[in-house]
Amino acid sequence: MHIIAVGAGPSGLCLALLLGKAGIKTTLLDTGSTIDDRPRAAHYAPSAIRVLRAAGVLEDVRRLGFLPGNMTWRKIDGTPIASIKDTAETRGPEGLTVLPLNLLGKVLLDHAEKNTNITIKWNHNVVGVGQDDTSAWAIVRAEDGTETKYSGDYLSGCDGANSQVRKSLFGESFPGKTWDAQIVATNVYYPLDKLGLDEINNIIHPTDYYMAAKITRDGLWRVSYGEDPNLSHAEVVAHQPAKFARMLPGNPKPEDYKLTNVGPYRIHQRCADKMTVGRITLAADAAHLCNPFGGMGLTGGLVDVGDLADCLVGIDQGLAEPQILEKYCEIRRQKWRDVIDPISSGNFIRVSATDPERAREVDPFLEMVKKMETDAVLRKEFDDSVYDICHDFKQYYKGAQRVTANELKL
Ligand SMILES: Cc1cc2nc3c(=O)[nH]c(=O)nc-3n(C[C@H](O)[C@H](O)[C@H](O)COP(=O)(O)OP(=O)(O)OC[C@H]3O[C@@H](n4cnc5c(N)ncnc54)[C@H](O)[C@@H]3O)c2cc1C
């Protein structure tokens, strides 16, 4: 079997590694000249760690990254409201792991470059896709206008939020909403842990809400805060020192910290109408988006590609019918709708639109987190619930005990 994957971002690379382990060849086509190193994801939940392990990269991810300590919700003056208490030991073998996306991308790329089943073609801008009864293809347009067709048995769009694969299938339709907010993701060296913060903090405030988390062992922090959506990029950059002085512990001036990135983003909750159309599938940001509070974007994307790999390997090995890809579409969209969308939306509303003085009274989640500090049974239920976005697609393989006769007849 040969797969065409559009996009050599984290989801495309991870998909190729999972398929490569099963002997399936993947050609990755990417419009960039190398991996995208904008400051985006850094936290990967246990469900994604499981996929990174299956792809054979977890050891390197853990070597470069780390297992963070407590995650705490606070008032802007630092007063804790509720905390998920953790240490490297309690996080366990599949525990939430921190590694900035540019470094995760490098790990995935290093492994992919060593895998003879994977071919990566940079500077390959995909402008359209197509399919017939036996194959699917991407059309790549070079700068001089010449077009080349890359064909495989199946094609997967892993080409991010502005996915050309999705647009080729559905035009501009990407159902959902854009929040009336602008988030500014900054990377900064400023020792917030010495100023009373934990390694992950969510600060609840009507205008100066933010998330502050340590993202490298050498003391780089991600501070993502809300800004007026009407401000231009230049205005956001100009406002940043005043924002930091007002909201961060120690009220720092620019000479007190070293800022390495400022990136404003609009945030969305969107999911494509379908993640499978015949031989073409969508995964990760190409298929769905959520706001970054709670780190569910790439986590959900990695779970997608883990599931997609199980489906394609099943088809390749004669263990599954091609219709299993319809099941992929149904289940992955359902997981976005029932788990990722409500939880990530709740995370954003919690920090940006909750009265910090009454947070535990009005927000049952925070009340539960507070109870979990002393209730081990509740804590165990919470720890188990982080796998709610997972699904076992091997149950639909032929001969699998749990498969029912009509399971794949959608
Ligand atoms: C501020 C911020 C913080 C975040 N924090 C977290 C977090 O902590 N945890 C988490 O899980 N998620 C987080 N996310 C979300 C996460 O970054 C994304 O979900 C993830 O990067 C999506 O990966 P992807 O592979 O789907 O797409 P991308 O990373 O966007 O990769 C897409 C690739 O496709 C290529 N491409 C695009 N168009 C074409 C084309 N036409 N032809 C060929 N190639 C093309 C691009 O060059 C790129 O290499 C965060 C996002 C933001 C903005």
Side-chain angles (χ1 to χ4, degrees):
M1 184 185 277
H2 177 207
I3 305 297
I4 303 294
V6 182
S11 62
L13 286 166
C14 192
L15 176 65
L17 286 170
L18 292 162
L19 296 174
K21 282 182 81 177
I24 296 177
K25 293 201 179 302
T26 303
T27 300
L28 289 150
L29 306 170
D30 198 292
T31 188
S33 56
T34 185
I35 50 173
D36 179 347
D37 64 357
R38 282 177 297 159
R40 293 186 290 163
H43 295 81
Y44 314 104
S47 48
I49 296 304
R50 187 179 274 185
V51 178
L52 293 172
R53 174 187 289 137
V57 299
L58 186 57
E59 206 178 305
D60 285 349
V61 169
R62 285 275 165 84
R63 185 171 49 76
L64 296 171
F66 67 96
L67 302 174
N70 298 346
M71 182 188 304
T72 302
W73 285 261
R74 297 176 184 277
K75 297 184 196 174
I76 192 116
D77 65 3
T79 310
I81 295 169
S83 189
I84 301 176
K85 306 278 181 200
D86 257 316
T87 63
E89 289 70 37
T90 52
R91 286 229 186 258
E94 288 183 350
L96 177 91
T97 301
V98 184
L99 183 67
L101 184 57
N102 58 322
L103 298 178
L104 174 66
K106 282 200 179 85
V107 169
L108 292 166
L109 182 60
D110 281 352
H111 282 255
E113 284 176 342
K114 288 182 197 131
N115 191 314
T116 53
N117 285 321
I118 301 174
T119 306
I120 307 176
K121 293 189 177 289
W122 300 109
N123 303 306
H124 277 54
N125 184 36
V126 171
V127 293
V129 297
Q131 60 182 316
D132 59 20
D133 288 348
T134 55
S135 67
W137 57 83
I139 304 293
V140 170
R141 188 178 297 150
E143 276 183 10
D144 65 4
T146 52
E147 292 191 347
T148 311
K149 181 176 173 182
Y150 288 84
S151 282
D153 297 290
Y154 292 90
L155 179 144
S156 185
C158 299
D159 49 343
N162 294 312
S163 170
Q164 185 56 50
V165 178
R166 188 188 66 242
K167 288 177 183 169
S168 299
L169 297 172
F170 308 116
E172 291 303 318
S173 167
F174 196 9
K177 71 169 186 186
T178 297
W179 294 89
D180 186 23
Q182 178 165 221
I183 301 301
V184 185
T186 65
N187 283 355
V188 60
Y189 286 97
Y190 181 56
L192 287 163
D193 41 356
K194 299 205 171 58
L195 293 162
L197 293 196
D198 285 306
E199 286 187 332
I200 308 176
N201 309 271
N202 295 288
I203 287 26
I204 301 177
H205 191 270
T207 52
D208 288 336
Y209 60 89
Y210 66 96
M211 189 281 308
K214 187 174 169 183
I215 60 169
T216 64
R217 289 186 195 172
D218 75 345
L220 186 65
W221 285 70
R222 164 71 47 78
V223 175
S224 293
Y225 58 89
E227 246 312 358
D228 178 344
N230 300 312
L231 294 189
S232 67
H233 191 128
E235 288 169 327
V236 165
V237 172
H239 267 204
Q240 172 273 321
K243 265 282 197 184
F244 272 25
R246 193 165 64 234
M247 69 187 191
L248 293 185
N251 307 103
K253 300 184 192 63
E255 57 270 28
D256 298 327
Y257 51 82
K258 185 177 155 205
L259 192 69
T260 62
N261 275 101
V262 186
Y265 292 88
R266 295 309 300 266
I267 53 173
H268 319 267
Q269 305 293 131
R270 295 185 185 276
C271 185
D273 276 330
K274 284 180 134 283
M275 288 173 66
T276 300
V277 177
R279 291 175 173 268
I280 301 177
T281 55
L282 296 173
D285 277 18
H288 44 69
L289 300 174
C290 64
N291 79 81
F293 285 82
M296 299 189 80
L298 186 52
T299 289
L302 290 172
V303 175
D304 282 352
V305 297
D307 289 349
L308 181 56
D310 281 346
C311 294
L312 292 169
V313 169
I315 296 169
D316 183 50
Q317 297 182 351
L319 297 169
E321 298 296 338
Q323 290 89 323
I324 196 172
L325 292 175
E326 296 296 331
K327 202 77 185 163
Y328 164 80
C329 171
E330 177 199 320
I331 301 286
R332 292 307 333 149
R333 289 186 69 253
Q334 188 188 85
K335 294 291 184 183
W336 184 87
R337 190 189 62 222
D338 296 347
V339 186
I340 295 175
D341 183 36
I343 292 182
S344 59
S345 295
N347 290 339
F348 183 56
I349 291 165
R350 184 164 301 117
V351 292
S352 64
T354 304
D355 176 357
E357 300 306 325
R358 299 181 57 232
R360 272 175 50 204
E361 275 168 65
V362 298
D363 184 339
F365 174 81
L366 286 175
E367 184 56 19
M368 180 194 74
V369 171
K370 189 69 193 166
K371 283 200 183 122
M372 265 161 41
E373 291 176 8
T374 51
D375 183 334
V377 176
L378 204 56
R379 174 61 197 260
K380 169 87 173 58
E381 278 173 23
F382 173 80
D383 287 345
D384 291 346
S385 74
V386 300
Y387 291 99
D388 284 352
I389 65 169
C390 299
H391 189 78
D392 174 17
F393 280 81
K394 290 183 179 170
Q395 70 184 287
Y396 309 122
Y397 283 9
K398 291 172 196 165
Q401 292 303 308
R402 283 164 289 165
V403 77
T404 62
N406 290 319
E407 193 97 46
L408 293 175
K409 290 185 186 160
L410 299 169

